[in-house]
PDB file of all heavy atoms in Angstrom:
ATOM      1  N   LEU Z   6      35.347  16.490 -73.804  1.00 97.00           N
ATOM      2  CA  LEU Z   6      33.841  16.581 -73.935  1.00 97.00           C
ATOM      3  C   LEU Z   6      33.470  18.088 -73.400  1.00 97.00           C
ATOM      4  O   LEU Z   6      33.567  18.391 -72.241  1.00 97.00           O
ATOM      5  CB  LEU Z   6      33.256  15.561 -73.106  1.00 97.00           C
ATOM      6  CG  LEU Z   6      33.598  14.093 -73.420  1.00 97.00           C
ATOM      7  CD1 LEU Z   6      32.763  13.106 -72.567  1.00 97.00           C
ATOM      8  CD2 LEU Z   6      33.301  13.784 -74.886  1.00 97.00           C
ATOM      9  N   GLY Z   9      28.446  21.061 -73.384  1.00 86.00           N
ATOM     10  CA  GLY Z   9      27.340  21.591 -72.534  1.00 86.00           C
ATOM     11  C   GLY Z   9      27.321  23.078 -72.465  1.00 86.00           C
ATOM     12  O   GLY Z   9      28.236  23.763 -72.780  1.00 86.00           O
ATOM     13  N   ARG Z  10      26.165  23.618 -72.034  1.00 78.00           N
ATOM     14  CA  ARG Z  10      25.918  25.059 -71.788  1.00 78.00           C
ATOM     15  C   ARG Z  10      26.754  25.706 -70.797  1.00 78.00           C
ATOM     16  O   ARG Z  10      27.163  26.844 -70.794  1.00 78.00           O
ATOM     17  CB  ARG Z  10      24.418  25.328 -71.584  1.00 78.00           C
ATOM     18  CG  ARG Z  10      24.054  26.737 -71.214  1.00 78.00           C
ATOM     19  CD  ARG Z  10      24.239  27.544 -72.345  1.00 78.00           C
ATOM     20  NE  ARG Z  10      23.672  28.968 -72.139  1.00 78.00           N
ATOM     21  CZ  ARG Z  10      24.388  29.816 -71.516  1.00 78.00           C
ATOM     22  NH1 ARG Z  10      25.757  29.535 -71.102  1.00 78.00           N
ATOM     23  NH2 ARG Z  10      23.949  31.099 -71.253  1.00 78.00           N
ATOM     24  N   GLY Z  11      27.018  24.873 -69.638  1.00 73.00           N
ATOM     25  CA  GLY Z  11      27.748  25.551 -68.498  1.00 73.00           C
ATOM     26  C   GLY Z  11      27.132  26.612 -67.866  1.00 73.00           C
ATOM     27  O   GLY Z  11      27.762  27.539 -67.326  1.00 73.00           O
ATOM     28  N   VAL Z  26      36.818  29.122 -71.098  1.00 85.00           N
ATOM     29  CA  VAL Z  26      36.995  30.098 -70.072  1.00 85.00           C
ATOM     30  C   VAL Z  26      38.537  30.116 -69.647  1.00 85.00           C
ATOM     31  O   VAL Z  26      39.210  29.183 -69.380  1.00 85.00           O
ATOM     32  CB  VAL Z  26      36.187  29.789 -68.845  1.00 85.00           C
ATOM     33  CG1 VAL Z  26      36.399  30.722 -67.764  1.00 85.00           C
ATOM     34  CG2 VAL Z  26      34.683  29.894 -69.342  1.00 85.00           C
ATOM     35  N   ARG Z  36      44.973  24.069 -71.119  1.00 94.00           N
ATOM     36  CA  ARG Z  36      45.623  23.222 -70.042  1.00 94.00           C
ATOM     37  C   ARG Z  36      45.320  21.695 -70.400  1.00 94.00           C
ATOM     38  O   ARG Z  36      46.113  20.853 -70.183  1.00 94.00           O
ATOM     39  CB  ARG Z  36      44.945  23.568 -68.794  1.00 94.00           C
ATOM     40  CG  ARG Z  36      45.279  24.993 -68.392  1.00 94.00           C
ATOM     41  CD  ARG Z  36      44.650  25.358 -67.011  1.00 94.00           C
ATOM     42  NE  ARG Z  36      45.011  26.698 -66.653  1.00 94.00           N
ATOM     43  CZ  ARG Z  36      46.160  27.048 -66.032  1.00 94.00           C
ATOM     44  NH1 ARG Z  36      46.952  26.023 -65.615  1.00 94.00           N
ATOM     45  NH2 ARG Z  36      46.405  28.258 -65.749  1.00 94.00           N
ATOM     46  N   GLY Z  50      40.872  15.808 -80.033  1.00 97.00           N
ATOM     47  CA  GLY Z  50      39.689  16.324 -80.553  1.00 97.00           C
ATOM     48  C   GLY Z  50      38.858  16.927 -79.436  1.00 97.00           C
ATOM     49  O   GLY Z  50      39.062  16.652 -78.203  1.00 97.00           O
ATOM     50  N   PHE Z  60      35.277  27.114 -81.250  1.00 93.00           N
ATOM     51  CA  PHE Z  60      36.405  26.153 -81.257  1.00 93.00           C
ATOM     52  C   PHE Z  60      37.162  26.290 -82.500  1.00 93.00           C
ATOM     53  O   PHE Z  60      38.334  25.644 -82.670  1.00 93.00           O
ATOM     54  CB  PHE Z  60      36.027  24.688 -80.901  1.00 93.00           C
ATOM     55  CG  PHE Z  60      35.597  24.449 -79.458  1.00 93.00           C
ATOM     56  CD1 PHE Z  60      34.324  24.329 -79.168  1.00 93.00           C
ATOM     57  CD2 PHE Z  60      36.566  24.278 -78.528  1.00 93.00           C
ATOM     58  CE1 PHE Z  60      33.936  24.123 -77.767  1.00 93.00           C
ATOM     59  CE2 PHE Z  60      36.209  24.000 -77.214  1.00 93.00           C
ATOM     60  CZ  PHE Z  60      34.899  24.084 -76.842  1.00 93.00           C
ATOM     61  N   PRO Z  65      42.292  21.500 -81.820  1.00 94.00           N
ATOM     62  CA  PRO Z  65      41.754  20.271 -81.812  1.00 94.00           C
ATOM     63  C   PRO Z  65      40.737  20.176 -82.989  1.00 94.00           C
ATOM     64  O   PRO Z  65      40.190  21.031 -83.470  1.00 94.00           O
ATOM     65  CB  PRO Z  65      40.985  20.171 -80.481  1.00 94.00           C
ATOM     66  CG  PRO Z  65      41.640  21.249 -79.619  1.00 94.00           C
ATOM     67  CD  PRO Z  65      42.014  22.268 -80.492  1.00 94.00           C
ATOM     68  N   ASP Z  86      32.649   8.733 -82.225  1.00 97.00           N
ATOM     69  CA  ASP Z  86      32.681   7.313 -82.552  1.00 97.00           C
ATOM     70  C   ASP Z  86      33.774   6.808 -83.491  1.00 97.00           C
ATOM     71  O   ASP Z  86      34.397   5.796 -83.198  1.00 97.00           O
ATOM     72  CB  ASP Z  86      31.286   6.930 -83.102  1.00 97.00           C
ATOM     73  CG  ASP Z  86      31.138   5.420 -83.603  1.00 97.00           C
ATOM     74  OD1 ASP Z  86      31.067   4.705 -82.701  1.00 97.00           O
ATOM     75  OD2 ASP Z  86      31.270   5.237 -84.764  1.00 97.00           O
ATOM     76  N   ASP Z  91      38.657   3.181 -83.533  1.00 97.00           N
ATOM     77  CA  ASP Z  91      39.871   3.041 -84.250  1.00 97.00           C
ATOM     78  C   ASP Z  91      41.161   2.656 -83.334  1.00 97.00           C
ATOM     79  O   ASP Z  91      42.091   2.063 -83.776  1.00 97.00           O
ATOM     80  CB  ASP Z  91      40.241   4.315 -85.051  1.00 97.00           C
ATOM     81  CG  ASP Z  91      41.442   4.209 -85.902  1.00 97.00           C
ATOM     82  OD1 ASP Z  91      41.534   3.155 -86.779  1.00 97.00           O
ATOM     83  OD2 ASP Z  91      42.319   4.974 -85.768  1.00 97.00           O
ATOM     84  N   ASP Z 139      26.681  16.750 -50.150  1.00 88.00           N
ATOM     85  CA  ASP Z 139      25.616  17.322 -50.996  1.00 88.00           C
ATOM     86  C   ASP Z 139      25.890  17.087 -52.423  1.00 88.00           C
ATOM     87  O   ASP Z 139      24.967  17.003 -53.325  1.00 88.00           O
ATOM     88  CB  ASP Z 139      25.543  18.783 -50.802  1.00 88.00           C
ATOM     89  CG  ASP Z 139      24.837  19.160 -49.604  1.00 88.00           C
ATOM     90  OD1 ASP Z 139      24.084  18.202 -48.931  1.00 88.00           O
ATOM     91  OD2 ASP Z 139      24.854  20.241 -49.054  1.00 88.00           O
ATOM     92  N   GLU Z 142      29.176  11.495 -54.909  1.00 95.00           N
ATOM     93  CA  GLU Z 142      28.479  10.284 -55.416  1.00 95.00           C
ATOM     94  C   GLU Z 142      29.285   9.006 -54.788  1.00 95.00           C
ATOM     95  O   GLU Z 142      30.507   9.179 -54.366  1.00 95.00           O
ATOM     96  CB  GLU Z 142      28.531  10.202 -56.858  1.00 95.00           C
ATOM     97  CG  GLU Z 142      27.739  11.178 -57.694  1.00 95.00           C
ATOM     98  CD  GLU Z 142      27.827  11.014 -59.186  1.00 95.00           C
ATOM     99  OE1 GLU Z 142      28.655  10.428 -59.600  1.00 95.00           O
ATOM    100  OE2 GLU Z 142      26.947  11.492 -59.768  1.00 95.00           O
ATOM    101  N   ARG Z 157      23.615   8.076 -54.400  1.00 94.00           N
ATOM    102  CA  ARG Z 157      23.619   9.132 -53.405  1.00 94.00           C
ATOM    103  C   ARG Z 157      24.058   8.601 -52.057  1.00 94.00           C
ATOM    104  O   ARG Z 157      23.434   7.739 -51.413  1.00 94.00           O
ATOM    105  CB  ARG Z 157      22.043   9.652 -53.306  1.00 94.00           C
ATOM    106  CG  ARG Z 157      21.803  10.699 -52.225  1.00 94.00           C
ATOM    107  CD  ARG Z 157      22.400  11.978 -52.736  1.00 94.00           C
ATOM    108  NE  ARG Z 157      21.961  13.147 -51.744  1.00 94.00           N
ATOM    109  CZ  ARG Z 157      22.313  14.334 -51.749  1.00 94.00           C
ATOM    110  NH1 ARG Z 157      23.057  14.747 -52.831  1.00 94.00           N
ATOM    111  NH2 ARG Z 157      21.936  15.171 -50.765  1.00 94.00           N
ATOM    112  N   THR Z 160      26.717   8.388 -46.025  1.00 95.00           N
ATOM    113  CA  THR Z 160      27.825   8.699 -45.138  1.00 95.00           C
ATOM    114  C   THR Z 160      29.197   8.656 -46.066  1.00 95.00           C
ATOM    115  O   THR Z 160      29.156   8.170 -47.119  1.00 95.00           O
ATOM    116  CB  THR Z 160      28.062   7.612 -44.027  1.00 95.00           C
ATOM    117  OG1 THR Z 160      28.441   6.380 -44.642  1.00 95.00           O
ATOM    118  CG2 THR Z 160      26.681   7.538 -43.277  1.00 95.00           C
ATOM    119  N   ALA Z 178      36.034  -1.910 -75.490  1.00 98.00           N
ATOM    120  CA  ALA Z 178      35.122  -1.281 -74.460  1.00 98.00           C
ATOM    121  C   ALA Z 178      34.165  -0.513 -75.122  1.00 98.00           C
ATOM    122  O   ALA Z 178      32.916  -0.555 -74.734  1.00 98.00           O
ATOM    123  CB  ALA Z 178      35.997  -0.516 -73.513  1.00 98.00           C
ATOM    124  N   ALA Z 194      19.976   6.722 -72.423  1.00 92.00           N
ATOM    125  CA  ALA Z 194      19.657   8.094 -71.743  1.00 92.00           C
ATOM    126  C   ALA Z 194      20.558   8.370 -70.419  1.00 92.00           C
ATOM    127  O   ALA Z 194      20.380   9.341 -69.892  1.00 92.00           O
ATOM    128  CB  ALA Z 194      18.256   8.158 -71.442  1.00 92.00           C
ATOM    129  N   ASP Z 229      34.102  27.865 -57.598  1.00 85.00           N
ATOM    130  CA  ASP Z 229      35.270  26.940 -57.872  1.00 85.00           C
ATOM    131  C   ASP Z 229      36.425  27.813 -58.417  1.00 85.00           C
ATOM    132  O   ASP Z 229      37.441  27.191 -58.385  1.00 85.00           O
ATOM    133  CB  ASP Z 229      34.801  25.890 -58.884  1.00 85.00           C
ATOM    134  CG  ASP Z 229      33.877  24.907 -58.362  1.00 85.00           C
ATOM    135  OD1 ASP Z 229      33.898  24.687 -57.140  1.00 85.00           O
ATOM    136  OD2 ASP Z 229      33.029  24.367 -59.174  1.00 85.00           O
ATOM    137  N   LEU Z 237      45.641  25.307 -59.659  1.00 89.00           N
ATOM    138  CA  LEU Z 237      46.268  25.687 -60.736  1.00 89.00           C
ATOM    139  C   LEU Z 237      47.854  26.271 -60.390  1.00 89.00           C
ATOM    140  O   LEU Z 237      48.683  25.955 -61.126  1.00 89.00           O
ATOM    141  CB  LEU Z 237      45.567  26.923 -61.649  1.00 89.00           C
ATOM    142  CG  LEU Z 237      44.192  26.663 -62.254  1.00 89.00           C
ATOM    143  CD1 LEU Z 237      43.689  27.758 -62.711  1.00 89.00           C
ATOM    144  CD2 LEU Z 237      44.459  25.459 -63.203  1.00 89.00           C
TER     145      LEU Z 237
END
Side-chain angles (χ1 to χ4, degrees):
L6 304 182
R10 173 69 178 82
V26 171
R36 295 177 180 279
F60 287 102
D86 177 77
D91 189 54
D139 282 347
E142 294 183 332
R157 177 76 176 173
T160 69
D229 289 330
L237 293 179

